[in-house]
């Protein structure tokens, strides 16, 4: 779902880029900036999920590595406000 949303935001941003090139569309700059921020944030969420899944699949060879895995997984767990 998030990946699809990210792609839709990307398409919308590209459409806005085209619209912004038209005369009299200077007011689109703020919305375009917000869409870029949203797209970047969704990309970071996607990257974090991919990393978390890779770490979850990793089979540590020893106790020290198992501790490192646990630490990494805790650091990637979203904090509730």
């Amino acid at each position: 779902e998030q990946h699809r949303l990210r792609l839709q935001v990307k398409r919308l941003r590209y459409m806005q880029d085209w619209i912004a090139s038209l005369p009299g569309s200077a007011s689109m700059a703020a919305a375009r900036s917000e869409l870029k921020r949203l797209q970047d944030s969704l990309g970071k969420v996607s990257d974090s999920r991919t990393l978390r899944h890779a770490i979850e699949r990793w089979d540590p060879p020893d106790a020290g590595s198992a501790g490192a895995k646990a630490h990494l997984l805790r650091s990637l767990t979203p904090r509730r406000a």
Side-chain angles (χ1 to χ4, degrees), residues 3 5 8 13 19 24 27 47 53-54 67 70-72 80:
H3 180 67
L5 175 61
Q8 290 172 342
R13 200 174 117 224
I19 292 169
S27 62
D47 292 348
H53 290 310
H71 175 74
L72 288 169
R80 302 206 182 247

Side-chain angles (χ1 to χ4, degrees), residues 55-67 69-70:
I55 292 170
E56 286 171 345
R57 289 190 307 268
W58 175 44
D59 186 21
D62 55 50
S65 297
K69 176 180 178 176

Side-chain angles (χ1 to χ4, degrees), residues 48 51-52 55 68-79:
S48 293
L51 178 59
R52 182 176 180 80
I55 292 170
K69 176 180 178 176
H71 175 74
L72 288 169
L73 289 173
R74 278 193 306 275
S75 70
L76 291 170
T77 300
R79 300 198 183 4

